[in-house]
């Protein structure tokens, strides 16, 4: 398989729920159009932001089908499906479903309950799942802050090289820039390394990253495209200013409760996607009013998605 190196901003979409916490895929076509009009080049569905570990098998398939229905005729928008990672049989079933409905790629993280003891065991997990969809790009999803699986991706890349023909690269959501650069440089840049820390994008651009997957791209894509343009124009002063805007925006996630705050940002750009499921905490109505004031102080309207 020829490995395609994806470019631009790939959104990690939120999974839409109604006021009763039930899946509402009717919101996905409008969501897709919103991302497209803001220059987003793809979607990483059912991941951390999409609560893939908190949805049922049927719900994950329904979300995948809804995104496929929207985007399969769009060659400029790539959808990859996260497969979770605790039950191999479920991951294989989801991978086969993603292939059958025509999605672009699948992605797997390390099992996060019974964790692999070393890179060889993690590679076996990847091979067992990836070989079931041999004609589909397979990405590993490195996010040790959530999985607790913190093994060097350079070692995983070397181990999988030649053993899993459809291995395409890594969605890299970690801060080990030495490891990331080593993966980027492996075999003259053979594999597609997608950056996954929005608040550190500028540092990844310096190392040569061309594609990124992030949750804040849902509601602030123009900010990051301006950052990329500034970097490409060698205007590092402007690029640093824009990266700081990203950091200030992301700090509000920590202030108001974490990952669920992303859906509050989405409300401010006109998309009410419901709330996060337990055990994630959602902000109260009173907190939301305070949040809106903090967001306004960032001049959010100047760089938000529209």
């Amino acid at each position: 398989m020829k490995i395609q190196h994806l470019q631009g901003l790939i959104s990690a979409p939120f999974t839409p729920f109604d006021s009763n916490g039930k899946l509402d895929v009717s919101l996905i076509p409008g969501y897709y159009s919103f991302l497209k009009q803001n220059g987003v080049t793809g979607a990483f569905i059912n991941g951390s932001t999409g609560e893939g570990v908190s949805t049922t098998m049927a719900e994950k398939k329904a979300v995948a089908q809804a995104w496929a229905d929207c985007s399969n005729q769009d060659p400029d928008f790539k959808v990859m499906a996260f497969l979770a990672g605790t039950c191999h049989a479920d991951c294989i079933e989801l991978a086969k479903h993603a292939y059958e409905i025509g999605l672009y790629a699948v992605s797997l993280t390390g099992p996060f309950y019974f964790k692999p003891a070393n890179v060889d065991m993690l590679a076996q997990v990847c091979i067992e799942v990836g070989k079931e969809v041999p004609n589909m790009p397979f990405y590993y999803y490195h996010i040790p802050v959530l999985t607790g699986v913190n093994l060097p991706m350079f070692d995983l890349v070397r181990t999988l090289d030649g053993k899993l023909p459809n291995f395409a690269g890594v969605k890299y959501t970690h801060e080990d820039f030495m490891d990331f650069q080593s993966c980027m440089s492996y075999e003259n840049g053979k594999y597609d390394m997608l950056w996954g820390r929005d608040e550190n994008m500028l540092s990844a651009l310096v190392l040569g990253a061309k594609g990124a997957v992030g949750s804040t791209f849902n509601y602030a894509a123009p900010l990051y495209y301006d950052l990329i343009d500034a970097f490409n124009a060698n205007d590092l002063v402007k690029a640093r200013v824009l990266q700081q805007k990203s950091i200030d925006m992301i700090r509000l996630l920590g202030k108001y409760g974490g990952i669920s705050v992303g859906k509050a940002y989405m409300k401010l750009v006109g998309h009410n996607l419901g709330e996060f499921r337990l055990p994630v905490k959602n902000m109260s109505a009173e907190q939301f009013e305070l949040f809106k004031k903090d967001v306004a102080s960032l001049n959010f309207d100047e760089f938000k998605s529209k």
Side-chain angles (χ1 to χ4, degrees):
M1 174 181 292
K2 182 179 180 181
I3 298 171
Q4 183 174 351
H5 288 239
L6 304 181
Q7 297 190 17
L9 304 180
I10 299 168
S11 168
F14 300 93
T15 294
F17 300 122
D18 64 20
S19 59
N20 295 313
K22 301 294 184 182
L23 183 67
D24 186 359
V25 296
S26 70
L27 298 178
I28 289 178
Y31 199 165
Y32 158 73
S33 297
F34 177 70
L35 295 177
K36 280 287 293 184
Q37 74 185 27
N38 283 281
V40 173
T41 61
F44 184 92
I45 64 171
N46 291 329
S48 306
T49 303
E51 299 179 80
V53 296
S54 299
T55 54
T56 67
M57 173 72 75
E59 287 174 328
K60 281 189 271 284
K61 287 184 176 180
V63 168
Q65 184 65 66
W67 281 99
D69 290 344
C70 292
S71 67
N72 276 2
Q73 303 305 313
D74 184 351
D76 298 321
F77 194 90
K78 303 288 193 297
V79 178
M80 58 180 71
F82 177 54
L83 307 175
T86 55
C87 175
H88 295 163
D90 285 352
C91 292
I92 290 169
E93 182 176 341
L94 286 169
K96 289 181 175 179
H97 177 259
Y99 179 71
E100 289 166 0
I101 65 175
L103 297 187
Y104 172 72
V106 293
S107 182
L108 181 76
T109 196
F112 41 83
Y113 188 85
F114 293 125
K115 298 179 180 64
N118 51 49
V119 166
D120 288 337
M121 295 305 298
L122 179 57
Q124 285 188 39
V125 172
C126 293
I127 291 168
E128 180 174 337
V129 177
K131 70 180 183 181
E132 297 295 331
V133 283
N135 298 313
M136 191 177 207
F138 174 95
Y139 286 80
Y140 181 73
Y141 178 15
H142 185 47
I143 185 165
V145 69
L146 291 181
T147 64
V149 180
N150 194 4
L151 298 167
M153 288 298 96
F154 181 62
D155 293 346
L156 181 66
V157 168
R158 289 193 301 177
T159 303
L160 289 176
D161 189 37
K163 296 179 182 177
L164 183 60
N166 58 325
F167 175 56
V170 179
K171 178 186 181 291
Y172 200 99
T173 308
H174 191 39
E175 296 80 20
D176 188 339
F177 289 102
M178 181 181 78
D179 186 41
F180 181 72
Q181 181 170 354
S182 297
C183 294
M184 291 272 296
S185 302
Y186 182 77
E187 292 289 333
N188 296 313
K190 178 178 179 180
Y191 291 105
D192 187 22
M193 298 297 298
L194 300 172
W195 185 248
R197 280 276 185 240
D198 307 0
E199 62 271 36
N200 293 332
M201 176 184 280
L202 179 55
S203 299
L205 293 174
V206 171
L207 297 180
K210 300 297 184 185
V213 180
S215 63
T216 64
F217 306 159
N218 284 292
Y219 46 84
L223 170 64
Y224 294 97
Y225 277 124
D226 285 348
L227 190 161
I228 292 169
D229 289 344
F231 173 78
N232 289 337
N234 203 31
D235 188 348
L236 297 184
V237 173
K238 181 179 180 180
R240 288 194 294 267
V241 168
L242 293 170
Q243 183 68 87
Q244 187 61 53
K245 284 182 180 290
S246 160
I247 292 169
D248 293 342
M249 178 179 66
I250 290 169
R251 284 191 191 280
L252 293 185
L253 273 68
K255 181 175 180 178
Y256 287 96
I259 194 170
S260 65
V261 179
K263 281 191 170 180
Y265 271 114
M266 290 301 291
K267 289 179 182 178
L268 300 184
V269 295
H271 292 264
N272 188 344
L273 304 173
E275 296 190 333
F276 267 67
R277 289 180 170 175
L278 289 171
V280 176
K281 179 178 174 57
N282 294 280
M283 68 176 69
S284 65
E286 293 77 15
Q287 287 176 316
F288 183 62
E289 293 305 313
L290 295 173
F291 167 74
K292 287 196 294 184
K293 292 179 181 178
D294 278 349
V295 173
S297 72
L298 301 177
N299 296 319
F300 181 62
D301 285 346
E302 294 180 359
F303 57 81
K304 70 181 183 180
S305 298
K306 298 180 174 68

